[in-house]
Amino acid sequence: MIEDALADLLRSALASSGLDLDGEPPEIVLTKPKQKEHGDFATNLALQVAGRVGKPPLEVAEIIVANLPSSDVVESKEIARPGFINFRVRDDWLHRALRDVAARGAAYGRSAPSGRRVQVEFVSANPTGPLTLGHARNAAIGDALARLFEFTGWEVLREYYFNDAGGQMDRFGDSVVARYLQAVGREAEVPDDGYHGSYVADIARDILHAKGPSLADLPPDERMTRLRDEAVQRVLPQIRSTLDRFGVRFDVYTSERTLAERGEIELAVQRLRQTGLAYDADGAVWFRSTEFGDDKDRVLIRSNGRHTYFAADCAYVIDKFSRGFDHVVYVWGADHHGDVARVRGAAQALGYDPSSLEFVIYQWVAFLRDGEPVPMSKRAGTFVTLDELMDEVGTDAARFHLLMFSPDATMNFDIEAVRQQSMDNPVYYVQYGHARIASILRKAAERRVELRSIDEADLSRLSHEAELDLLRAIADVTAEIRTAAERRAPHRLTHAAQGLAARFHRFYTECPVLSDDAELTQARLWLCVGTKQVIANLLDLLGVSAPESMERTEDVERAQ
RNA sequence: GCCCUCGUAGCUCAGGGGAUAGAGCGCCGGCCUCCGGAGCCGGGUGCGCAGGUUCGAGUCCUGCCGAGGGCGCCA
C-alpha cells in the first residue's frame, strides 16, 4: 500500500535527520486529509516529535522533508501550518492500484496467509425452534467478521455451540411431550413456561408420523428426553438450512451434551479446583470470578448436582484452546455482556492468555413493521423467523441492512422500510452500480469493442476529477478493509461500498465510457472492470451478491 | 445501587487525537436524441451538559443528564 511506502520514506528521513529522538521511534501515522488542498496524504510526525527533540514543529518538519529520500511515488510535498507534512502522490500510483485489481481480481487487497488460526463462534442459538429475527444480527456480524479474518490472512473456523440439555431444553421437551400427547388424542397442556409456538405441534406430529404413538407410554422422564432429542434432531437441520440460505455455513457444531458426556465439564471443574479458585459453599461449587473483576462469584455445580451453563462454558474454553487456536472470538448479544468477565476470568485461571479471548458484543435490534415493534418471544410463540424475514425483504437486503451500523449501536430494522423502500435502499444502490458496469461491458461487446490487455492501456488518460476520485476510492479499499477487520467493524464495508458506488455513478454520468476515442475507451473500460471487481469484493465480504443485471421490481415501477 | 453500549443535521446513522465534521432519507430546484434515470448536479441546519488531558478533542479521562441492555444454584 502507498501508506507503507510513505511511512518507509519518513522513517528513513527521521533516521538520517540527526534529530535526537531520545527513545522509541514514533509510530508513523499517515492520514488522508479531508481537504483536497492538503494533498493525498498527511503526517503529523513533526508535531509528534517536536516536544521530544526540543524544536518547533515547523522546523522539525523542514528537517524531515529535507532528509526525505527521493521517491517515484511522491509528486510533491509541503509543510503546513501547525507542522503537518502533506504529500501529493503521482497519479501513476493510482494506476498501479487499478493494475493490481486487474491482476489479482477477487484477491485484490487480500493479505497473505499469516498461519494464525482463529475460531469465530456465533449464532449458537439453542435448538428449541427456528432461528428468528433476534439471531439475524448475530449471524450477519459473525459471518462478516469471519470473512474479514479470512481476507486478512487468518485461517478461520466458524463454530456453532448449542445447549441440548439443561432447564431451557427440558421446558422445550415438556412442550413437545404435550403436543405429542395431544397428537395421539390425549389430554395435555403446554406448560405456561413452555414453548407455545405452533411449530412445536408440527414437530410433534412429525415425530408421531415417524415413530408411531408408542413413545407416549414411556415413563415420563424418559419420554421427555426421548421426545426432546427427537425434536432437536428435527430442529437442527432446519436451523442449518436457514443459515445456509442466509449465506452462513458453519464448519463445526458443538453441543454442550457432548462436552458433558466426554467428562470435560467435570474435568474443567477439577482443574479450577486445582488452581484454588473453585471452592465449596452452601452445597454448591463456586468459581472465584470476583478475582477477575466479576461482581460476584459464580456457581459451577449447583447444590442439586447439576452443572451450570457457566461450567459448560469453562469446559468449552478448554476445548477451544486444546484445538490450537491462536485467537477465539465470541459474538454475543448485549444481554450477555455480563458473562464476559467470568468466562475470560475462567480462561485466565485455567492458564490461557485472557487476551486471546475476544468478545464482540453487539447491541439489540428493534424490529419494526411500519414503525410498530414486532413482538418476539420464542416461548410465547410470537416471533418472526429468519426465513420469513428473507422471504419478505430478501437475503441481500437483510444482510446489508443488518451490517450498516456499528455493532455498538442499537439499530432499527423496519421490515416494511427495508422491503418497500427498495428505490432508496443502499444495497440496491450498490448492486445497481455493479449491474450497471456489467451492462456497459455487455454493450461494449455488442459494439465489438474489444478490451485489450491493461498493459497496453494508457491509464494516464484518466484525468477527469470523477475518474481520479474513483481511482482513489479503489486504492483506498485495501486500507479500509484492514481497518474494518482490525476494529471488528464490518459496517465500514457497507460505507466503503456505498462510497465506491457513488463515485462510479458520478463517473458514469460525466464520462462516457464507450466513445470514438479508442485509447480513452480502453482506459475507461479498465476503470469499469476494476470498479466492478472491487464492488463485488466488498459485497462478498458482506455476504451479499453482486448481480450482473437487476430486475425492476413492482415496487420500483409503482414508485416511478 | 453496580456493569456495558449509545447521545453528531428534521429522521436513520458514519466519523475511536488533527486542518473548513460527512452520507442516506425527507424538502426545494435543475439534468435523459447518447453506455440501465434504481442515476447525476445544486441548495443547510448539528457534535446532550460541565470540567480535565493535549500544540490540537465529536474522538481520550471524570462527573452529571437522557435512552437501551444486563446484574439468579434462569437460560
Side-chain angles (χ1 to χ4, degrees), chain A residues 171-184:
Chain A
R171 275 190 276 283
F172 175 60
D174 290 335
S175 307
V176 177
V177 168
R179 293 301 193 186
Y180 179 84
L181 292 178
Q182 288 170 1
V184 299

Side-chain angles (χ1 to χ4, degrees), chain A residues 137 141 362-366 397-414 418 426 488-495 498 542:
Chain A
R137 194 177 194 186
I141 290 176
Y362 61 92
Q363 300 299 310
W364 278 127
V365 187
R399 282 190 73 134
F400 196 93
H401 191 77
L402 286 164
L403 290 170
M404 275 176 48
F405 314 101
S406 162
D408 283 339
T410 54
M411 59 167 283
N412 294 323
F413 190 114
D414 193 312
V418 176
R488 319 299 189 228
H491 67 284
R492 283 178 166 264
L493 300 175
T494 64
H495 290 95
Q498 289 178 80
L542 294 163

Side-chain angles (χ1 to χ4, degrees), chain A residues 12-264:
Chain A
S12 160
L14 212 49
S16 57
S17 66
L19 292 168
D20 181 11
L21 286 172
D22 186 31
E24 291 288 301
E27 187 193 356
I28 311 279
V29 180
L30 283 153
T31 56
K32 294 168 31 62
K34 287 166 189 151
Q35 273 72 41
K36 280 182 183 165
E37 312 84 71
H38 294 137
D40 299 311
F41 294 94
T43 182
N44 62 355
L45 185 58
L47 288 157
Q48 269 192 324
V49 301
R52 274 206 260 171
V53 301
K55 292 184 195 297
L58 284 172
E59 191 180 323
V60 176
E62 279 173 32
I63 295 171
I64 293 173
V65 167
N67 282 283
L68 277 172
S70 65
S71 158
D72 60 350
V73 296
V74 177
E75 168 84 32
S76 64
K77 60 237 173 195
E78 61 177 31
I79 296 165
R81 208 175 2 111
F84 292 107
I85 302 170
N86 296 333
F87 294 98
R88 209 168 291 277
V89 297
R90 290 175 43 169
D91 285 349
D92 68 351
W93 163 69
L94 293 172
H95 304 158
R96 226 173 290 172
L98 185 56
R99 292 180 201 281
D100 199 24
V101 177
R104 300 188 66 195
Y108 169 67
R110 195 179 186 103
S111 307
S114 66
R116 299 214 292 165
R117 299 179 63 219
V118 60
Q119 181 214 47
V120 182
E121 184 221 315
F122 62 113
V123 183
S124 295
N126 287 350
T128 55
L131 294 180
T132 68
L133 292 186
H135 306 112
R137 194 177 194 186
N138 190 308
I141 290 176
D143 189 54
L145 287 178
R147 289 169 191 250
L148 277 168
F149 275 117
E150 281 166 346
F151 201 82
T152 51
W154 291 76
E155 188 184 322
V156 179
L157 188 114
R158 291 169 173 80
E159 186 150 328
Y160 184 119
Y161 174 73
F162 61 98
N163 295 99
D164 46 359
Q168 201 63 35
M169 289 306 299
D170 289 351
R171 275 190 276 283
F172 175 60
D174 290 335
S175 307
V176 177
V177 168
R179 293 301 193 186
Y180 179 84
L181 292 178
Q182 288 170 1
V184 299
R186 300 192 195 176
E187 282 290 310
E189 283 294 325
V190 174
D192 285 345
D193 60 355
Y195 291 75
H196 295 263
S198 60
Y199 70 93
V200 180
D202 297 337
I203 291 168
R205 273 193 297 274
D206 188 56
I207 296 171
L208 174 60
H209 186 74
K211 303 286 171 186
S214 63
L215 301 181
D217 297 317
L218 292 169
D221 280 359
E222 194 185 333
R223 183 173 66 191
M224 190 280 282
T225 54
R226 180 72 196 280
L227 283 168
R228 180 195 66 195
D229 295 349
E230 288 287 345
V232 166
Q233 282 175 32
R234 283 160 176 77
V235 170
L236 274 177
Q238 197 185 332
I239 287 175
R240 208 169 285 151
S241 78
T242 300
L243 288 168
D244 202 54
R245 187 179 162 202
F246 198 56
V248 179
R249 185 157 302 168
F250 284 92
D251 301 299
V252 173
Y253 285 76
T254 295
S255 88
E256 178 196 1
R257 200 197 302 174
T258 308
L259 296 173
E261 285 171 356
R262 292 199 300 234
E264 295 185 16

